[in-house]
Amino acid sequence: MEQDNTYIRFDWAIKHILRDKANFDILEGLITVLTGEEVKIMELLESESNQEDASDKFNRVDIKAKNSKGHLIIVMVHLTRQFQYYKKILFGKCPVITKHFNIGDKYDQVKKVYSISILYCHFGKGDDYVYQGETRFRGIHTGNDLIVNIKEEGVIVPHLPRQVFPEYYLVRVNVYDKIPETPLDEWMTYLKTGKIKEDTRTPGLQEVREKLRIMSMSPKERREYDAHMDNIMVQNDVLDTAREEGLQEGRKEGRAEGRAEGRAEIISQLLKGGMSVGTIAAALKLPEEEIRKFSVDIN
């Protein structure tokens, strides 16, 4: 019966299920709970990083949407740690803004962007499991926020800069560890464990209970889903083992050649498992050029 209350993991659903318009209400619920503002998704926009082949299983997955206010919302899921990720999310917003701004448009057509990163990997240090960031202009003497005038539909409206500039949310799934008390906690519990309270009234999670039951998957979908979960477990185990073996080898051997041999075996295992060169390099703190040497041998 435990499995009856376990639902399809979000990182799988966002790639295979949540792109169906009939399931937009799940994403709407998550974004509404996270931002505190009711969201209605009007359409999904083209995303650049959603390849479907098996060799891509460790890449990031994202959904790009437009809501009823014309704001752009990017929901990204990361399974593996990536150094300089905070710079990547900044870089990623620039083409999103310019892509949806046509030549000849006035600047009042620039779209507000919300960036939501759901991180199943360790990222940063802090005592919270959700962090929100925005652009603020504050007086260095008074500490007051600058208020600017924006023209919207022919009317001059005062705005704080954060109402115009991109807004960022970092959802640190791995560090969440508490009994759910709020709608956001319930979402965090689902993201981490795949479990939802039977009597939930949280936006989006009621729809998850109806549409994302593991037991309702077809045999083919279930095989693919189980393989996905196995890949994640293997990936995490190999990375943890790699770090531990590296520490033990350094303590026991104290020789560069011994460490190099152990590292070569680890890299070969990761490549054979389908992990990308970039992910391995980031995890083991090595240049990508060094990883590619082993990639040639594998091929």
Side-chain angles (χ1 to χ4, degrees):
M1 297 301 292
E2 177 75 11
Q3 197 172 43
D4 293 341
N5 192 35
T6 303
Y7 301 87
I8 297 169
R9 228 174 83 135
F10 187 80
D11 63 288
W12 171 270
I14 198 174
K15 194 166 187 177
H16 298 274
I17 300 173
L18 301 188
R19 300 174 188 285
D20 188 328
K21 190 171 184 178
N23 298 325
F24 283 4
D25 46 9
I26 294 175
L27 274 176
E28 290 168 355
L30 169 61
I31 298 168
T32 294
V33 168
L34 191 60
T35 65
E37 179 180 353
E38 187 171 352
V39 170
K40 181 70 175 177
I41 294 176
M42 305 306 295
E43 62 177 315
L44 295 188
L45 306 171
E46 180 183 355
S47 293
E48 296 79 15
S49 64
N50 298 307
Q51 305 165 37
E52 296 293 341
D53 58 285
S55 64
D56 180 57
K57 57 180 170 284
F58 297 113
N59 285 359
R60 72 180 174 92
V61 182
D62 69 68
I63 278 185
K64 184 166 61 177
K66 183 169 72 174
N67 68 11
S68 56
K69 295 183 179 180
H71 298 160
L72 303 176
I73 302 170
I74 298 177
V75 181
M76 297 191 296
V77 178
H78 270 256
L79 302 179
T80 56
R81 184 179 180 185
Q82 183 176 19
F83 294 101
Q84 308 296 343
Y85 176 68
Y86 68 100
K87 293 183 179 179
K88 182 169 185 173
I89 60 176
L90 170 63
F91 178 81
K93 301 304 134 325
C94 299
V96 169
I97 294 172
T98 55
K99 183 176 181 179
H100 295 277
F101 185 83
N102 297 317
I103 296 176
D105 281 349
K106 296 181 180 179
Y107 285 114
D108 59 1
Q109 297 301 308
V110 171
K111 305 298 184 183
K112 166 79 173 183
V113 177
Y114 292 88
S115 170
I116 300 172
S117 296
I118 300 175
L119 305 167
Y120 284 88
C121 52
H122 294 289
F123 179 80
K125 294 181 180 180
D127 56 3
D128 208 329
Y129 46 89
V130 178
Y131 283 85
Q132 183 257 354
E134 57 196 24
T135 300
R136 299 179 65 184
F137 293 98
R138 288 180 293 180
I140 63 173
H141 300 102
T142 65
N144 293 332
D145 284 307
L146 176 69
I147 297 177
V148 296
N149 290 327
I150 302 292
K151 187 176 181 180
E152 291 184 350
E153 300 179 357
V155 179
I156 303 300
V157 181
H159 272 294
L160 292 169
R162 63 182 174 81
Q163 295 174 275
V164 179
F165 282 79
E167 194 166 334
Y168 302 90
Y169 291 85
L170 299 178
V171 182
R172 303 166 74 221
V173 177
N174 279 0
V175 302
Y176 175 77
D177 185 19
K178 59 180 291 190
I179 297 174
E181 300 176 352
T182 67
L184 180 55
D185 289 347
E186 288 193 42
W187 258 103
M188 294 299 298
T189 299
Y190 163 62
L191 291 174
K192 186 168 185 177
T193 68
K195 297 180 180 179
I196 303 171
K197 294 195 305 184
E198 292 288 340
D199 60 349
T200 186
R201 294 292 181 267
T202 295
L205 291 183
Q206 298 177 70
E207 290 75 16
V208 170
R209 293 191 69 244
E210 295 174 8
K211 301 175 181 180
L212 299 187
R213 287 185 178 273
I214 288 179
M215 300 301 291
S216 66
M217 300 176 83
S218 69
K220 180 177 183 296
E221 291 172 332
R222 184 60 188 272
R223 288 193 298 271
E224 293 174 349
Y225 180 71
D226 288 344
H228 171 73
M229 296 303 295
D230 287 343
N231 285 329
I232 291 173
M233 292 177 65
V234 169
Q235 168 206 232
N236 292 335
D237 182 62
V238 169
L239 289 175
D240 289 343
T241 301
R243 295 188 187 99
E244 182 59 30
E245 286 182 351
L247 290 173
Q248 289 182 2
E249 192 171 345
R251 288 193 294 263
K252 293 178 181 178
E253 300 290 340
R255 299 197 313 263
E257 61 270 22
R259 290 193 297 271
E261 289 177 5
R263 183 188 302 155
E265 183 176 351
I266 290 165
I267 293 172
S268 296
Q269 291 176 5
L270 294 173
L271 288 169
K272 288 176 181 177
M275 192 177 294
S276 70
V277 169
T279 299
I280 298 172
L284 300 182
K285 300 181 181 180
L286 294 171
E288 290 191 9
E289 291 74 14
E290 185 168 342
I291 307 300
R292 289 194 181 93
K293 296 177 184 176
F294 297 95
S295 179
V296 172
D297 293 337
I298 296 295
N299 297 330

